[in-house]
Amino acid sequence: MNQLTQFKKILILPVRTFLSVGAFFALAISTHAQNLYVSINGDFCGFQCTNSNGSISEYTPAGMVTIASSLARPRGLAFDSSGNLFAAVTRRAPPKGQYQGKILKFPPLGQQSVLGTVPQSFLEVVVTGSGGNTFALAQDAKLGLFYPSTIYKFAPDGTGSIFGSIPGQGNGLAFDSAGNLFANDAGAPGISPSIYKFTFDGTRTVFAGPNAFTDGTYPASLAFDASGNLFVSTQGDPGNDAILEFTPTGMESTFATGLTNPLGLAFDGSGNLFVVEENPGPDGDILKFGPGGAETVFASGLNYPENLAFGPPR
């Protein structure tokens, strides 16, 4: 998300039910494939309100359906091996309320529940790891600065612990095939944008430093492809924002340019990369890049789409 996105005024437009007719039907879904899920922030009501206009949508072979609504600032989405969907939401209670992050759990069957909470924090992203653990990246909101950021680890029973931290505004998390956790840092005053790598025991090293990003830009979200390459959406230069690609050894190249506020990334089983452009309706959309880089519009007319995940049909 853009730095301090939560304070932007958003054009009040309803989320459209039918998006880019014919475009989202292009996703081939077999009996073994998965559907695409997107979190939508929706209309933004301002600083001193709860902002519960968010939703989660699912794209099926038949079209788009809303599976959850009246959510507060939904951001990261992730599935575990049992088909449970986890979503990061953040509520602010007026007047002079504090931000409180929650991880919601949506089982395939049954009622929604809360896996864990992170007081005085803005939750940006969740990912699931081995052992059924869920990891959440939370920006410190106590002073209204939204940095530093802390990575929390939640066991399946909801027991939480601190896994690691980064100095600036954290927006993205992704596991590689070896179980290392990568976190992007958008930076902050006096803190340069970077991508950090955490080993299984929480040891932190720098994977990509500030020289990896052009002046004024910063990493926004992360995703690995099947070959272990790390894809990074960058923001800071709307209309010329980019998606960068890093090999496992850290070699950098540019995968796509000419984007406007790209954020959440997700690969399908065929190697297609899906990317949201985090803009107010009707300019918010989901782009699809084929393995060779060919770009098409998968869905449009969205009101601040945030993050993506592939998972089993609901």
Side-chain angles (χ1 to χ4, degrees):
M1 83 184 244
N2 293 331
Q3 297 187 45
L4 304 186
T5 292
Q6 51 269 39
F7 299 110
K8 291 189 295 188
K9 293 182 179 179
I10 296 177
L11 180 65
I12 299 177
L13 288 173
V15 176
R16 297 179 182 177
T17 302
F18 298 99
L19 308 171
S20 293
V21 176
F24 56 70
F25 295 103
L27 179 63
I29 299 177
S30 70
T31 56
H32 298 289
Q34 298 182 318
N35 291 341
L36 179 65
Y37 295 76
V38 57
S39 56
I40 305 288
N41 187 87
D43 301 332
F44 194 81
C45 65
F47 186 76
Q48 295 290 348
C49 62
T50 57
N51 188 211
S52 296
N53 300 307
S55 61
I56 300 172
S57 297
E58 175 187 5
Y59 290 91
T60 76
M64 185 275 288
V65 294
T66 298
I67 65 167
S69 58
S70 300
L71 302 179
R73 303 174 180 87
R75 293 297 189 265
L77 303 174
F79 283 89
D80 66 11
S81 59
S82 298
N84 297 300
L85 171 63
F86 298 90
V89 300
T90 302
R91 182 178 184 274
R92 180 182 170 88
K96 298 181 179 180
Q98 292 289 334
Y99 285 101
Q100 182 183 60
K102 292 184 179 181
I103 302 175
L104 303 181
K105 178 180 179 180
F106 299 88
L109 298 173
Q111 297 296 315
Q112 166 191 322
S113 61
V114 176
L115 175 69
T117 61
V118 185
Q120 298 184 317
S121 297
F122 197 106
L123 283 189
E124 281 291 348
V125 64
V126 292
V127 295
T128 54
S130 61
N133 297 308
T134 301
F135 295 76
L137 183 57
Q139 298 174 353
D140 189 331
K142 289 191 291 293
L143 301 178
L145 300 176
F146 301 95
Y147 71 92
S149 302
T150 302
I151 302 171
Y152 291 90
K153 176 182 176 181
F154 290 90
D157 65 359
T159 302
S161 59
I162 293 176
F163 177 78
S165 64
I166 56 178
Q169 289 188 341
N171 291 337
L173 292 175
F175 277 103
D176 67 10
S177 60
N180 299 300
L181 181 61
F182 288 69
N184 76 267
D185 189 331
I191 300 171
S192 298
S194 299
I195 299 175
Y196 295 97
K197 175 182 177 181
F198 293 83
T199 58
F200 71 94
D201 62 356
T203 301
R204 186 183 80 186
T205 56
V206 176
F207 176 76
N211 291 336
F213 310 101
T214 58
D215 291 343
T217 68
Y218 51 88
S221 191
L222 309 172
F224 281 96
D225 68 6
S227 298
N229 300 305
L230 178 63
F231 287 71
V232 182
S233 57
T234 67
Q235 295 187 5
D237 189 10
N240 197 37
D241 288 328
I243 299 173
L244 305 178
E245 179 180 355
F246 294 86
T247 67
T249 59
M251 294 291 293
E252 176 185 355
S253 61
T254 300
F255 178 77
T257 59
L259 307 183
T260 300
N261 300 321
L263 187 59
L265 308 171
F267 281 94
D268 68 9
S270 298
N272 299 300
L273 175 62
F274 292 75
V275 184
V276 303
E277 289 188 299
E278 184 202 20
N279 299 311
D283 297 324
D285 57 27
I286 303 173
L287 304 177
K288 175 183 176 182
F289 293 88
E295 174 187 340
T296 57
V297 177
F298 177 78
S300 62
L302 303 177
N303 198 7
Y304 269 92
E306 299 291 340
N307 281 282
L308 301 170
F310 278 94
R314 307 303 285 177

